[in-house]
Amino acid sequence: EVWFCVGNHLRDHLATCQAYHDELGATTIFAVAVSSLALGFVFFVSGRFNLTRYASYVPTCIMEAFMSCVGYKVFKYALHFCNYDARQFVPAAAVGVPLRRHL
């Protein structure tokens, strides 16, 4: 793994790292906005032309396996994101797991 713009590198290259983080933030906001608009458009078109009837042709076991895989990856990367620190992860899991059961 490559860690840059943290620690000594951040201290030595403060201006460059600040510009990098500004660009990264702008890129992230733009990507989220465009993907949200695209997804909204897809949902609008599928509802407008009654394309949702084709979703019933996907077997339930396939959808369950897909959702399980997504859940596993979210869990895995959440652990990695908090650097396996129990102080960060345990409270989130204590709230998220019971909340998941009610949704």
Side-chain angles (χ1 to χ4, degrees), residues 3 8 10 15 21 25 32 34 42 53 55 59 70 81 88 101 103:
W3 292 96
N8 292 335
L10 176 62
H21 286 291
V32 168
V34 169
V42 167
R53 63 178 174 238
V70 169
F81 181 72
Q88 293 181 20
R101 293 181 185 199
L103 295 180

Side-chain angles (χ1 to χ4, degrees), residues 35-49 51-52:
S35 63
S36 296
L37 288 172
L39 187 61
F41 179 74
V42 167
F43 281 142
F44 174 77
V45 168
S46 65
R48 177 74 172 97
F49 297 108
L51 299 176
T52 55

Side-chain angles (χ1 to χ4, degrees), residues 5-13:
C5 290
V6 295
N8 292 335
H9 185 269
L10 176 62
R11 188 187 70 232
D12 296 339
H13 306 283

